[in-house]
Amino acid sequence: MFLYQAYNAQQAAMEPLRWFANEVRTFAGRSGLSSSLSNPIMDAFTAACDVVADAKPLHDRPDYGIRTTLVDGHMVPIEEEIVLQKPFCDLLHFKKPGVTGQPRVVVFAPMSGHFSTLLRGTVEALLPQHDVYITDWINARNVPLWQGHFGLDAFIDYSIEFLRHLGPDVTAVAVCQPAVPLLVAVSAMAQMNDPAQPKAMVLMGGPLDTRVSPTKVNEFAQSGSIETIKQMVITHVPPPYAGMMRAVYPGFLQLSGFMSMNIGRHVRAHVDMFRNLVKGDGESVTSTKKFYKEYLTVMDMPADFYLQTLTAVFQNYDLPLGKFKYRDMLITPSAIEKTALMTVEGADDDICGPGQTQAAHILCSGIPAERRIDYVQQGVGHYGVFNGRKFREQILPRIATFIQSA
């Protein structure tokens, strides 16, 4: 709790500087100061104020901002509809009134330091040809303690409940971390002969076997005991948040971890943004700002879920070693026979190394070879697996074809 309070105090101390920087930015924009009195010192000063004004973490979920999409050449409206509400997650439907017959897809977003809106581009790309749902995770600091704990088993519970709600004609798409709980959920449903087993699943950049191509994320997970890591990153939510006293891995600590893994890239991005502001390259600035606003919007993760995932996935390798248990059920992915499988990886992924997701094909030996697809996209890292130009132009068409053929 004291760590959280120290963070809040530090952010409060920075507010006067951010306020001043924002006032300078606003005044310069309204008065045309930077253009009417353009000189290198003034341009650099206003550019620096612009960067400082936005350099702060945010903690409330942004709007998805998806209002329309193009279906068969016609623009149709999008309505956000919560179809199932749980304490830690809403199952959100991007409803298209009047559009029927499209294949249904549920996107399992990671419960990580970022909100599900990080997959906005994934959803936007899927919408023209698919009826899209997404797991919209709730910031753990806003979930009252009386709602109970949320661990890895609870994530799998939610996954099974969502799949049962949507029925067997749905394709489940897991992006990154939820590849493990989704595969476990589908395995458990197969072992129970559940009639709601999904027709297909797509696992994208997921850490199914972290012994393969270990990354800095894997190295950190192996760097100490669970107790040591717990002492390093777990704290309690302070008042006045609704989830006060809940144990969490706070978003601001996760963000610092993400940034430190690629600190050079982030520094270069901010230096480039500064230079573009000075020279007036509005398009580059807008693109960079949009990315960092989403990147700096963080959420707290329930401590139980984080620590249990760390233990099962990154330290004990329970799934590939055949010892993963879900509520005392030993999970056997080879039991899956009815669900088609596609894996997608980025050749340059430095978060989830190439081969970690491909392991699903070894685990899911019960799925016929003709109903399994393994695709590795060259020239993309972790985020390029589910967002960006190569995702839209090369990965998405393959996923769409797979869904149709499933």
Side-chain angles (χ1 to χ4, degrees):
M1 186 181 298
F2 295 114
L3 178 63
Y4 217 121
Q5 290 173 329
Y7 163 76
N8 286 342
Q10 185 265 340
Q11 290 300 307
M14 290 292 294
E15 275 307 303
L17 177 61
R18 294 192 188 108
W19 175 85
F20 173 75
N22 187 60
E23 288 297 304
V24 171
R25 175 174 64 180
T26 303
F27 176 73
R30 288 177 178 173
S31 64
L33 184 64
S34 57
S35 57
S36 61
L37 299 176
S38 182
N39 65 74
I41 295 177
M42 180 63 69
D43 291 345
F45 178 65
T46 55
C49 287
D50 198 304
V51 172
V52 169
D54 292 332
K56 65 176 181 179
L58 304 171
H59 302 274
D60 296 316
R61 176 172 75 72
D63 188 358
Y64 280 95
I66 304 174
R67 305 288 182 252
T68 59
T69 193
L70 199 65
V71 178
D72 296 330
H74 300 285
M75 196 67 70
V76 298
I78 299 293
E79 297 176 3
E80 292 182 18
E81 172 189 39
I82 296 174
V83 296
L84 201 59
Q85 199 165 26
K86 305 291 290 182
F88 289 86
C89 185
D90 294 330
L91 181 59
L92 186 65
H93 182 206
F94 295 92
K95 185 178 179 181
K96 291 174 282 194
V99 178
T100 59
Q102 292 187 322
R104 292 199 294 170
V105 173
V106 54
V107 178
F108 285 84
M111 175 183 262
S112 63
H114 295 102
F115 289 89
S116 302
T117 50
L118 193 67
L119 304 187
R120 181 186 292 107
T122 316
V123 172
E124 285 180 323
L126 284 166
L127 274 169
Q129 299 177 27
H130 305 90
D131 186 16
V132 183
Y133 298 74
I134 194 169
T135 56
D136 195 23
W137 298 104
I138 295 168
N139 194 340
R141 79 177 189 180
N142 296 329
V143 182
L145 196 58
W146 61 264
Q147 292 283 8
H149 296 285
F150 187 91
L152 186 52
D153 278 350
F155 194 114
I156 299 165
D157 289 339
Y158 277 30
S159 302
I160 293 174
E161 184 171 353
F162 294 158
L163 291 173
R164 285 173 174 164
H165 180 82
L166 294 171
D169 65 338
V170 73
T171 295
V173 177
V175 178
C176 190
Q177 160 261 313
V180 174
L182 176 62
L183 180 55
V184 171
V186 176
S187 299
M189 295 174 77
Q191 290 172 238
M192 294 184 287
N193 200 25
D194 194 312
Q197 295 172 62
K199 70 174 184 178
M201 62 177 165
V202 182
L203 308 179
M204 306 177 68
L208 298 177
D209 189 348
T210 55
R211 299 172 300 175
V212 182
S213 305
T215 64
K216 289 183 180 180
V217 173
N218 308 140
E219 291 169 5
F220 170 77
Q222 290 288 333
S223 63
S225 67
I226 286 296
E227 277 304 313
T228 300
I229 294 175
K230 182 178 180 180
Q231 291 174 8
M232 289 172 55
V233 303
I234 301 301
T235 187
H236 289 81
V237 178
Y241 305 111
M244 63 180 181
M245 300 308 297
R246 179 177 296 284
V248 296
Y249 180 13
F252 61 85
L253 279 184
Q254 297 175 66
L255 178 63
S256 66
F258 297 148
M259 298 287 282
S260 66
M261 285 191 295
N262 293 288
I263 188 65
R265 185 178 68 189
H266 292 299
V267 169
R268 287 193 299 274
H270 278 85
V271 170
D272 289 345
M273 182 166 69
F274 173 80
R275 290 171 176 166
N276 288 330
L277 282 163
V278 171
K279 69 181 182 182
D281 184 357
E283 186 174 344
S284 297
V285 169
T286 300
S287 177
T288 305
K289 278 189 172 185
K290 184 178 180 180
F291 171 80
Y292 275 101
K293 183 174 182 180
E294 192 72 52
Y295 197 79
L296 293 173
T297 303
V298 293
M299 61 179 285
D300 296 350
M301 189 190 310
D304 289 344
F305 173 72
Y306 171 70
L307 295 173
Q308 289 167 15
T309 299
L310 199 65
T311 302
V313 177
F314 294 96
Q315 291 194 347
N316 294 346
Y317 315 115
D318 284 351
L319 194 57
L321 293 180
K323 26 177 221 180
F324 195 107
K325 286 191 175 182
Y326 159 61
R327 301 209 178 276
D328 296 326
M329 176 192 294
L330 184 65
I331 293 301
T332 310
S334 59
I336 303 173
E337 297 177 349
K338 298 179 179 178
T339 302
L341 170 67
M342 180 178 185
T343 59
V344 181
E345 294 183 317
D348 302 326
D349 195 334
D350 60 352
I351 302 293
C352 182
Q356 293 188 10
T357 313
Q358 286 176 335
H361 295 278
I362 299 173
L363 296 170
C364 300
S365 57
I367 303 174
E370 63 271 18
R371 302 196 71 218
R372 288 191 275 117
I373 294 177
D374 172 32
Y375 180 69
V376 179
Q377 177 63 54
Q378 300 300 315
V380 301
H382 189 66
Y383 294 101
V385 171
F386 58 88
N387 208 347
R389 181 178 58 83
K390 288 189 176 179
F391 167 74
R392 294 190 300 271
E393 295 178 0
Q394 300 187 44
I395 297 175
L396 180 64
R398 289 176 167 86
I399 292 176
T401 300
F402 168 73
I403 291 173
Q404 288 289 349
S405 65

